[in-house]
């Protein structure tokens, strides 16, 4: 029988590269955890209707990319393609918005699934860290989220990313613009599918990547010229707060994003080292989403950053994360009795909070020392019959190469002292 392989468009995370993914999730979530965002976890699947309504019937995500399934009980489910709809559903279900503490600030980390054409940076299973601030309309909240994402990327050492910023207007001004745009688009030379899109979600035509389409869009009406005064003032305030925080951004009036629920502030983080899959993260305000999924009016804002593409961005910039060795002490027993004794020392070290590992399988000194080296441990403990007869273990500093005999009973305390 041939061996199995990971399904098309997916890949496994294995050591040592998996450590980078953990570090990226940690780095992206750290600024959120320090800013009042609480951790939320939702199921990997939801009722398909949540995404159809929440993400939007006309989006690529819902029409083409969703993994849907019918359970044995007849329920229509979908593997989650994104996080916002689920998080808002969960917050409403738990009545978090009624606890009198708005905004409800939440962060999450997990796997997402989209049936896409696999290519570099585009997978069918990928991972995101996201944040949502639910129930408050305040430009400072939009600014906070953008600043925290910027801080996260910078803490990882990324520099070649840019922030694209736009406002999509609200339920007052967006419909007026939508109509103006529709009548402009209807006169263009476009294929059937795009013509259908004009009627369902004309703003997304602006996002068309094809050159022959983009060429025709040069004179399209600009949303900026249609923004109502309230939206304009709101957007100016977000821009001013970002500028005051020293966070550089570029105004991009064509930025619409692939989800239907965005209003007002919309933004995307792009990395210039990634070729065509350049978006490392994106987000925006979604003031109407709660009502769309049956909840009360809850103006909200959020983002999701792609972990996979962030790792690719690190590789593109040549950033090596400073990942400390996971093992501090490696024990190498020579013989049966030493195995029992050193295994006891390792257990004691671990209970004292010192990361320790052990040469399992009764291997010879040479092979075991090779594993000790590979583990990155700062110290090794070696003991053979003669050492045990003398009541000592050999403690070797792997950095300096110095070795000394230490009384067995003091080995753990000595290591704790040396490792600080
Ligand atoms: P794109 O325009 O590249 O398709 P998107 O607008 O669909 O991106 P979002 O839904 O905003 O992406 O998701 C936020 C982030 O999640 C993206 O910026 C990206 O980093 C990541 N992401 C989205 N889809 C994929 C995928 N198929 N594979 C890997 N990462 C993805
Ligand atoms: Mg997409």
């Amino acid at each position: 029988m041939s061996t199995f392989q990971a399904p098309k468009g997916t890949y496994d995370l294995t050591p040592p590269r998996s450590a980078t993914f953990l570090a990226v999730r940690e780095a992206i979530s750290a600024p959120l955890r320090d800013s009042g965002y609480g951790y939320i976890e939702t199921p990997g699947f939801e009722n398909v209707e949540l995404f159809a309504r929440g993400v939007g019937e006309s989006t690529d995500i819902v029409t083409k990319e969703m993994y849907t399934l019918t359970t044995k009980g007849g329920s229509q489910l979908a593997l989650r393609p994104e996080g916002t709809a689920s998080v808002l559903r969960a917050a409403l279900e738990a009545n978090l918005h009624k606890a009198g503490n708005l905004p409800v600030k939440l962060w999450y980390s997990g796997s997402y699934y989209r049936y896409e054409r696999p290519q570099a940076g585009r997978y069918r299973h990928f991972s995101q860290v996201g944040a949502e601030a639910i129930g408050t309309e305040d430009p400072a909240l939009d600014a906070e989220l953008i600043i925290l994402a910027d801080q996260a990327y910078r803490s990882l050492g990324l520099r070649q990313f840019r922030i694209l910023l736009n406002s999509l207007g609200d339920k007052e001004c967006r419909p007026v613009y939508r109509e103006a745009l529709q009548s402009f688009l209807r006169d263009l030379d476009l294929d059937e599918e795009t013509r259908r899109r004009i009627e369902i979600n004309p703003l997304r035509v602006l996002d068309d990547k094809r050159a022959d389409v983009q060429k025709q869009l040069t004179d399209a009406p600009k949303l900026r010229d249609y923004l109502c005064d309230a939206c304009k003032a709101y957007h100016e305030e977000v821009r001013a707060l970002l500028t005051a925080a020293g966070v550089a951004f570029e105004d991009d009036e064509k930025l619409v994003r692939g989800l239907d629920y965005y209003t007002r502030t919309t933004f995307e983080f792009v990395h210039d080292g990634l070729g065509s899959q350049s978006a490392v993260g994106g987000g925006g305000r979604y003031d109407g989403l709660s009502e769309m999924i049956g909840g009360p009016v809850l103006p909200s804002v959020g983002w999701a950053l792609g972990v996979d593409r962030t790792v690719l961005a690190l590789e593109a910039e040549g950033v090596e994360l400073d990942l400390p060795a996971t093992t501090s002490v490696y024990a190498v027993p020579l013989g049966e009795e030493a195995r029992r004794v050193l295994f006891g020392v390792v257990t004691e070290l671990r209970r004292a909070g010192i990361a320790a590992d052990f040469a399992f399988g009764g291997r010879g000194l040479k092979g075991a020392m090779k594993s000790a080296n590979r583990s990155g441990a700062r110290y090794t403990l070696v003991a053979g019959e003669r050492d045990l007869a003398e009541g000592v273990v050999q403690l070797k500093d792997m950095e300096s190469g110095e070795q000394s005999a230490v009384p067995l009973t003091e080995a753990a305390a000595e290591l704790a002292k040396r490792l600080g």
Side-chain angles (χ1 to χ4, degrees), residues 240-282:
L241 289 167
L242 291 177
T243 305
V247 171
F249 57 88
E250 297 168 24
D251 294 305
D252 180 354
E253 50 189 31
K254 288 228 174 87
L255 181 71
V256 291
R257 319 230 43 257
L259 296 87
D260 277 355
Y261 50 59
Y262 287 114
T263 50
R264 289 194 168 170
T265 314
T266 332
F267 50 87
E268 196 158 87
F269 288 78
V270 294
H271 192 275
D272 292 324
L274 292 186
S276 47
Q277 265 60 251
S278 63
V280 286

Side-chain angles (χ1 to χ4, degrees), residues 65 114 116 122:
E65 299 172 2
R114 295 184 194 177
E116 304 214 56
R122 190 174 294 286

Side-chain angles (χ1 to χ4, degrees), residues 17-241:
R17 196 165 176 254
S18 54
T20 305
F21 279 72
L22 275 185
V24 165
R25 291 193 187 108
E26 170 70 22
I28 296 176
S29 58
L32 298 168
R33 289 181 271 126
D34 287 346
S35 307
Y37 288 76
Y39 179 66
I40 185 167
E41 202 168 304
T42 65
F45 49 81
E46 297 274 353
N47 281 312
V48 69
E49 200 53 31
L50 174 71
F51 299 119
R53 281 209 238 149
V55 179
E57 307 265 15
S58 77
T59 59
D60 283 351
I61 291 181
V62 170
T63 56
K64 300 182 192 152
E65 299 172 2
M66 212 149 58
Y67 281 91
T68 52
L69 60 117
T70 308
T71 66
K72 290 183 174 65
S75 306
Q76 301 285 322
L77 303 179
L79 301 187
R80 58 183 181 188
E82 61 103 48
T84 304
S86 313
V87 167
L88 188 55
R89 194 266 310 138
L92 290 170
E93 195 171 328
N95 281 319
L96 299 184
H97 59 297
K98 289 186 186 155
N101 191 22
L102 296 177
V104 177
K105 301 210 284 189
L106 301 166
W107 76 273
Y108 59 87
S109 172
S111 291
Y112 296 86
Y113 307 86
R114 295 184 194 177
Y115 189 74
E116 304 214 56
R117 196 168 67 78
Q119 50 202 293
R122 190 174 294 286
Y123 312 105
R124 291 181 173 177
H125 165 263
F126 58 99
S127 125
Q128 291 183 337
V129 173
E132 315 291 349
I134 297 165
T136 304
E137 187 185 279
D138 182 341
L141 201 52
D142 307 40
E144 166 175 289
L145 277 164
I146 295 171
I147 292 166
L148 293 178
D150 178 80
Q151 190 180 324
Y153 284 140
R154 284 184 188 284
S155 77
L156 282 165
L158 285 175
R159 293 295 175 267
Q160 292 162 26
F161 66 89
R162 291 178 291 128
I163 302 173
L164 309 180
L165 184 68
N166 194 18
S167 172
L168 293 181
D170 63 7
K171 60 179 189 296
E172 301 304 318
C173 54
R174 176 113 131 246
V176 184
Y177 171 68
R178 186 187 144 103
E179 258 178 51
L181 181 63
Q182 277 176 325
S183 49
F184 171 86
L185 294 172
R186 283 182 194 126
D187 290 338
L188 302 183
D189 177 25
L190 297 165
D191 59 280
E192 262 318 298
E193 194 191 334
T194 312
R195 300 195 82 69
R196 265 199 303 280
R197 188 169 290 165
I198 294 173
E199 305 311 319
I200 311 167
N201 192 348
L203 267 74
R204 289 196 45 252
V205 179
L206 298 178
D207 200 26
D208 202 306
K209 305 281 192 300
R210 291 168 298 181
D212 60 308
V213 176
Q214 278 303 324
K215 209 170 60 206
Q216 300 186 67
L217 296 175
T218 329
D219 296 326
K222 306 237 182 304
L223 181 51
R224 188 175 32 185
D225 300 330
Y226 287 78
L227 287 186
C228 62
D229 288 342
C231 282
K232 260 188 222 161
Y234 193 95
H235 196 55
E236 278 319 307
E237 183 61 15
V238 174
R239 296 176 76 258
L241 289 167

Side-chain angles (χ1 to χ4, degrees), residues 262-338:
Y262 287 114
T263 50
R264 289 194 168 170
T265 314
T266 332
F267 50 87
E268 196 158 87
F269 288 78
V270 294
H271 192 275
D272 292 324
L274 292 186
S276 47
Q277 265 60 251
S278 63
V280 286
R285 185 155 272 285
Y286 49 93
D287 293 341
L289 179 58
S290 174
E291 290 158 280
M292 282 158 74
I293 63 169
V297 179
L298 284 173
S300 306
V301 57
W303 51 241
L305 308 188
V307 175
D308 310 74
R309 287 187 199 170
T310 302
V311 172
L312 291 174
L314 288 169
E315 290 168 358
E317 276 198 46
V319 178
E320 291 265 353
L321 296 184
D322 185 18
L323 301 173
T326 46
T327 303
S328 301
V329 179
Y330 198 94
V332 176
L334 303 171
E336 267 307 295
E337 196 193 343

